[in-house]
Amino acid sequence: MRLLAGVAAAFFAAAAAGQTAAQGAFEAVGDAIPRPLAAEPGQPERGRSIVVNRDQGGCTLCHEVPGETRFGNVAPPLSGVGARLSVPQLRLRVADSSRVNPATPMPAYYRVQGLVEVAAAYRGKTILSAQQVEDVVAFLATLKEPK
């Protein structure tokens, strides 16, 4: 797991370019982030694009995603996740899944504080923007059917 977390951190460091230090702030309540991170509602089509793009979200490196033929198997399949979790719960898991499971190898897509082994050029930058998190969450919320 430690190796996987290191690989994921190295991989996603490149995706962080262009994000600002002001990003990464959110208020979690229990196992959820109740308020959207962006002013514009998430768009499922853009979210799917981020999820399947290995240079952006990279979710298919670890998760099986419905409709995709290339995916990893070290994390749970994403089919049915929209039926199991609410939008606020999905938002926290994308923004910072370690708040739900401290041992997760999943990177914190929208957190900048408390990270270790981050290249200097990427410190204070999130992997995804607030809008991208909302887009990913909108897509995940559409995945209602189990595998």
Side-chain angles (χ1 to χ4, degrees):
M1 284 300 197
R2 177 172 243 176
L3 174 62
L4 179 60
V7 169
F11 172 168
F12 290 112
Q19 305 304 315
T20 66
Q23 293 179 325
F26 59 84
E27 182 181 345
V29 177
D31 71 340
I33 299 174
R35 291 193 309 260
L37 301 174
E40 181 184 331
Q43 296 296 317
E45 302 80 23
R46 289 191 312 229
R48 179 176 181 74
S49 176
I50 293 165
V51 165
V52 301
N53 184 326
R54 289 180 175 231
D55 293 326
Q56 199 169 28
C59 304
T60 57
L61 292 172
C62 298
H63 294 277
E64 180 178 343
V65 175
E68 294 300 306
T69 57
R70 293 180 43 205
F71 49 80
N73 62 2
V74 297
L78 294 180
S79 54
V81 71
R84 293 189 306 273
L85 299 171
S86 69
V87 166
Q89 289 173 315
L90 289 168
R91 189 176 292 119
L92 180 58
R93 281 148 181 84
V94 173
D96 184 7
S97 63
S98 70
R99 293 274 195 104
V100 179
N101 176 5
T104 186
M106 186 167 153
Y109 285 92
Y110 197 74
R111 185 180 95 200
V112 296
Q113 300 299 320
L115 300 176
V116 296
E117 298 182 28
V118 177
Y122 302 108
R123 288 186 192 132
K125 298 175 183 174
T126 61
I127 295 170
L128 298 178
S129 70
Q131 186 59 58
Q132 289 172 318
V133 170
E134 292 303 319
D135 292 342
V136 168
V137 168
F139 168 65
L140 295 175
T142 69
L143 301 179
K144 305 284 189 187
E145 296 297 318
K147 183 176 175 183

